[in-house]
Amino acid sequence: MSERQGFILHAKTRPEKAGEFEALFRAYVEPSRAEPGCIEYHMLRDQQDPTLFIFYEIWASQAHLDEHSALPHMKAFFAKRMDYLERDFDIRAIDMLSESSASR
């Protein structure tokens, strides 16, 4: 079993907050990808429901994911997430069965 930690997160935003949520997290994508231990970090938006954002993340270890989650901007967002969200995150733990294509 891999030490890697991966998940798919669904963030269902309030309609009036979708644009603000997108702008906020778009700014976090590249810095998150540059963090130690980040293997994959993708922000997606559902084409049929523009209030649904999906994050696909793979981290080298739980410690790397914990470091990411403990960053000041992540902790601040988590504390006020329900200002943006219609319902709390739906998070599904996943195992990465194929190698990352990011380094190709």
Side-chain angles (χ1 to χ4, degrees):
M1 188 158 157
S2 173
E3 183 183 355
R4 291 180 176 168
Q5 296 298 311
F7 62 89
I8 295 174
L9 179 150
H10 287 199
K12 175 72 170 158
T13 62
R14 299 174 188 277
E16 70 277 10
K17 292 289 191 169
E20 189 177 340
F21 181 91
E22 178 182 358
L24 180 67
F25 273 89
R26 269 186 184 266
Y28 296 158
V29 171
E30 288 306 320
S32 295
R33 287 177 173 173
E35 289 177 38
C38 181
I39 296 170
E40 298 281 353
Y41 188 103
H42 299 278
M43 177 183 174
L44 310 154
R45 192 173 198 173
D46 189 282
Q47 290 184 351
Q48 294 180 4
D49 180 357
T51 67
L52 178 60
F53 294 84
I54 301 160
F55 291 82
Y56 165 62
E57 300 183 34
I58 304 289
W59 295 87
S61 68
Q62 185 63 51
H64 288 103
L65 176 56
D66 291 346
E67 288 175 28
H68 169 73
S69 299
L71 292 172
H73 68 278
M74 294 303 295
K75 286 174 67 172
F77 173 77
F78 191 77
K80 64 178 184 173
R81 70 193 182 283
M82 295 314 294
D83 292 349
Y84 294 88
L85 301 177
E86 210 171 77
R87 59 180 177 263
D88 212 349
F89 297 130
D90 175 17
I91 303 172
R92 299 193 182 204
I94 58 171
D95 289 324
M96 187 172 172
L97 302 179
S98 58
E99 288 304 311
S100 172
S101 62
S103 60
R104 287 184 176 178

